[in-house]
Amino acid sequence: MKDMLLSAWRYRYFILSSIQTEFRARFIRSRLGGLWMIIHPLAQAAIFALVLAEMMAARLPGLANNKFAYAIYLMSGMLAWSLFSEVINRCLTLFIDNGNLLKKIVFPRISLPLIVTGSALFNNLLLFMAIIVVFGLLGHAPGVQIAWVPLLMLVTLALALGIGLVLGVLNVFIRDVGQVVPVVLQLGFWFTPIVYAPNIVPEAFRPMLHMNPMTTIVQSYQNAMLFNTTPDFVGLGWLFPAILILLGGAFIMFRRASAEMVDVL
Amino acid sequence: MSECVLKVSGLGKAFRKYRSEWQRIFSWFGISVTPAAEHWVLRGVSFSVASGEAVGIVGQNGAGKSTLLKLITGTLRATEGEVQIHGRIAAILELGMGFNPEFTGRQNVYHAAGLMGFSRKAIEHALPEIEAFAEIGGYFDQPMRTYSSGMQMRVAFAAVTAFRPEILIVDEALSVGDSYFQHKSFDRIRQFKEQGTSLLFVTHSMGDVQTLCDRVILLDKGQALRDGLPDEVVDYYNALIAEKENAKLTVEQLRQKNGWILTKSGTGEATLADFRLTDADSNQEVHLVRVGQRVILTAIVKIHADIPRLVLGYMLRDRMGHVVWGTNTWHTKQIVEDLRAGQVVEFKLLFTCTLGPGSYSFSPALVSTDTHLVNNYEWKDNALVFDVLNAGNPYFIGTSWLDAVFDINRRGMV
């Protein structure tokens, strides 16, 4: 583990410049370039808001006075989910996409997930800033609790990286994984209270909702950005060690697998 | 030449097949699973390379050359044995790997050098040199998709060789690009070598192997079959190609006192009983030939079994192993047909020695068609060695004597 981190440190320059390059690549020959990364989730939020606003707005506790409350609620959840799904989706095909590079050139393989993590984080920060601007336009001034968001991003990132690495490694050997994951991810989106408030879910199903780690995270985002309350510390307190174990396990698996990964790519 | 920069010991690589991929995954977590099948592509390969040494790696397709290189560079992990490397290793394998066509040459150089682990500072420092070496002018700051493939090659080569490595792996990739740049890149490689870089060449061109390498390793079926001087290994390799086609063929090698290596192979239906060079006028056997002398090469062939056709081929090579001239009686349409056991055939080749001064060798081959791959009755590398000396002609260099004349005229002032 130590030498893995050490080699990543030696390649820090490459990792940083790759993140930069990836971002720059989006702007080449595309007028809006990287802005599309922000436009997509915002547009999605806008669509949901348009379609579901009437139905959902009344269900949000204590925010009935703001007619944009639902849009704000949506965007808070979207911010968390877009980071989560971007990291997983990109990790999933990461080693397959870079198969040629892995076969031909020697470099610390850990750089690849780190580049994905870095660039996803950067995209998400831009989205976060854009959302704050939109909040301002909608007349919602975020409270001090919004300062929790960067920390929540790190938690989301760690969870997504842990899951993504495991799936990405498995996908090299069992390609079905790559087909199943997007479907499961879609399902996960609807199993997380992003579009709806948890109180519309029948009482019997609510514990199931809370078994989803993203529920805890998304609700903490909503607390910080919309309700101006502290994150769900109890939930996060449970989640934190679990994520650490997952991440540690994922790195061990990645390390063991990387010897054989090139054999089958 | 003494310091060892690369040491490969007992290297082996097996690709494993499991009954289910899940078994492979369990095996990472310490659950011992016996793979359903193991396929060894390389096994028991050991050699070491000293600093400044150039080693060629030859072998037929599938012999394990690429696997060996991947194990040395470290993209593949060895199943057994180990590779010890002292210093940095660079490979000119896939030039232009990881280049983004939308970016400029300059940006791609940053990226590629970063991939080799260099810091921004080091790259910035080397960049003017890279730009100058690539010699593509203003294109350096244009997107790479506008480049010709040769230009891309130039930038890639300049970037890979911007920093002198301790070990440089050169693939046949080097043979792309125009001849000007080829010379330039070979010069750079030669400079590296003088400064102590060890070279590993992988190629199918036996000519390159003989001019560039100090030593050659022949890989066959995942094993290092031969490791020795270039002429020795190359001749063995040629004989081996024949063996593939002729099951009962035997290969013998023997280094003669004069330094030429004699490699003999063949199935033995026809053998050379005598092979000699004589003066055309006096009929005396000669080992030393003057430039311009008329000589006859005689081959007496004994037939040991009935064969439908017999073709005799000659290859004349210089000391470096380069082929100076070669043909056979199939090309000259003088095929001898329907031979019975016990018969003897005499071939005479009359020629004027228009070779340059030096040592040469004749390698005869007794075959049935235009190549030795169908039936190789007997193949003798360097069966006859002779020296050429220049007496009577003005001094000249090279392997051929061209009867060329200077015509010089002095003109008045214009």
Side-chain angles (χ1 to χ4, degrees), chain B residues 183-201:
Chain B
H183 276 283
K184 198 169 163 176
S185 34
F186 267 108
D187 270 346
R188 174 166 271 195
I189 291 173
R190 230 167 263 137
Q191 272 170 27
F192 277 175
K193 189 180 177 230
E194 275 157 27
Q195 289 163 25
T197 295
S198 305
L199 304 176
L200 279 181
F201 276 102

Side-chain angles (χ1 to χ4, degrees), chain A residues 21 28 106 109 256 260, chain B residues 24 28 73 75 102-103 118:
Chain A
T21 305
I28 287 176
V106 188
R109 286 164 196 171
R256 301 260 163 91
E260 288 187 49
Chain B
R24 185 200 296 273
W28 304 331
T73 53
T75 52
E102 296 294 343
F103 289 161
F118 290 103

Side-chain angles (χ1 to χ4, degrees), chain A residues 167-185:
Chain A
L167 295 175
V169 168
L170 288 182
N171 196 22
V172 172
F173 301 97
I174 307 166
R175 299 289 162 106
D176 309 70
V177 172
Q179 303 297 323
V180 172
V181 168
V183 179
V184 174
L185 217 50

Side-chain angles (χ1 to χ4, degrees), chain B residues 55-83:
Chain B
V55 177
I57 296 173
V58 298
Q60 300 167 60
N61 291 339
K65 296 182 305 256
S66 304
T67 307
L68 177 62
L69 289 192
K70 281 180 185 163
L71 289 169
I72 292 172
T73 53
T75 52
L76 275 185
R77 214 154 309 166
T79 313
E80 58 176 37
E82 63 170 341
V83 178

Side-chain angles (χ1 to χ4, degrees), chain B residues 272 274-280 283 285-286 294-300 312-316 325 346-352 361-364 383-386:
Chain B
L272 272 177
D274 194 17
F275 194 51
R276 63 169 73 215
L277 197 63
T278 50
D279 182 273
N283 258 338
E285 185 170 359
V286 287
R294 298 274 294 164
V295 285
I296 299 172
L297 183 71
T298 310
I300 309 282
L312 173 72
Y314 287 122
M315 195 156 67
L316 175 66
W325 176 83
E346 186 187 52
F347 292 87
K348 277 193 181 218
L349 181 73
L350 176 76
F351 67 99
T352 308
S361 78
F362 265 113
S363 305
L384 189 136
V385 177
F386 65 99

Side-chain angles (χ1 to χ4, degrees), chain A residues 10-11 13-14 17-18 20-22 24-26 28-29 100-109 169-170 173-174 177 249 252-264, chain B residues 13-16 18 21-22 24-25 27-30 70 73-77 89 91 93-94 97-98 100 102-103 107 110-121 123 145:
Chain A
R10 274 195 296 111
Y11 268 67
Y13 160 70
F14 172 70
S17 85
S18 295
Q20 198 190 344
T21 305
E22 213 170 78
R24 202 162 40 184
R26 289 212 193 93
I28 287 176
R29 306 228 267 175
N100 247 334
L101 208 60
L102 289 170
K103 272 195 279 189
K104 299 282 160 61
I105 295 177
V106 188
F107 65 100
R109 286 164 196 171
V169 168
L170 288 182
F173 301 97
I174 307 166
V177 172
I252 290 170
M253 181 176 176
F254 170 71
R255 209 185 143 80
R256 301 260 163 91
S258 59
E260 288 187 49
M261 209 140 62
V262 179
D263 294 0
V264 299
Chain B
K13 175 73 189 174
F15 287 102
R16 296 192 166 133
Y18 291 87
E21 286 298 324
W22 289 106
R24 185 200 296 273
I25 289 154
S27 75
W28 304 331
F29 296 100
K70 281 180 185 163
T73 53
T75 52
L76 275 185
R77 214 154 309 166
I89 188 159
L93 286 172
E94 291 281 311
M97 256 326 279
N100 184 331
E102 296 294 343
F103 289 161
Q107 287 165 335
Y110 269 111
H111 189 74
L115 200 54
M116 293 190 285
F118 290 103
S119 70
R120 185 162 197 97
K121 237 189 180 154
I123 300 169
R145 68 189 141 81

Side-chain angles (χ1 to χ4, degrees), chain A residues 14-81:
Chain A
F14 172 70
I15 294 169
L16 286 174
S17 85
S18 295
I19 295 169
Q20 198 190 344
T21 305
E22 213 170 78
F23 191 71
R24 202 162 40 184
R26 289 212 193 93
F27 274 97
I28 287 176
R29 306 228 267 175
S30 148
R31 268 159 204 258
L32 293 178
L35 292 181
W36 287 113
M37 297 306 291
I38 299 167
I39 295 169
H40 280 305
L42 284 182
Q44 211 182 347
I47 292 165
F48 279 123
L50 269 173
V51 178
L52 299 170
E54 287 302 311
M55 209 172 84
M56 296 299 307
R59 301 279 196 140
L60 292 175
L63 282 164
N65 54 336
N66 187 342
K67 59 179 171 166
F68 294 118
Y70 177 60
I72 293 164
Y73 179 83
L74 264 173
M75 278 187 269
S76 317
M78 286 287 191
L79 180 64
W81 189 263

